[in-house]
Amino acid sequence: MPDRQFNPFQTIDINVPVEFHESFQRYCRRGAGSALDRSPFPRMIDLWFLALCVAVRLNLEPVERSDVKTWKMIDGTIFSSDPWRIHALMLIAVGCTQDVSVVAEPRRVMTLANGLAIAGLPRVLEMLQDGGGEPIWNLSEAIDGLLDGASVTGDS
């Protein structure tokens, strides 16, 4: 019997501003025919999570976009397929709030994570587009620079 992971986010939708919808369609693979070079993310959650990680790495403030039209990217059940992300989201929330009790508030954790992902999305999209190669190679070089501590496109 498979081991079941507790997922406090399973009933929470991940909503992204409509302005990013086309980018998710462009850079996330939608089937076996999608080229990895041009669509480097297997799933939309992978692009969203990288944007979240970039925002954390660059110490960006979460973006509150309650005044903008959003679309439901996916629901929180996606985290059950990668349970390590559940722990990562909780650790990020604790780090940002300096309050361990935040883990008892899944909606607050997801609001923070989504705000960070929205803050990081423009940076990741720049990384995909800036450079002389296909998006996957541009992104690889930019992430390598980010991990080495070099400045990434835009202000940091």
Side-chain angles (χ1 to χ4, degrees), residues 50 54 124 127 138-148 152:
L50 177 62
V54 166
V124 172
M127 291 178 193
N138 296 339
L139 179 64
S140 296
E141 288 181 25
I143 293 295
D144 185 50
L146 181 65
L147 295 175
D148 284 342
V152 178

Side-chain angles (χ1 to χ4, degrees), residues 3-19:
D3 199 19
R4 293 193 146 255
Q5 176 71 29
F6 173 66
N7 180 359
F9 309 116
Q10 64 189 7
T11 61
I12 303 172
D13 294 339
I14 299 171
N15 297 302
V16 179
V18 171
E19 68 188 87

Side-chain angles (χ1 to χ4, degrees), residues 85-96 103 109:
R85 291 184 204 242
I86 295 168
H87 301 292
L89 291 174
M90 290 180 175
L91 289 171
I92 289 167
V94 168
C96 289
V103 299
V109 171

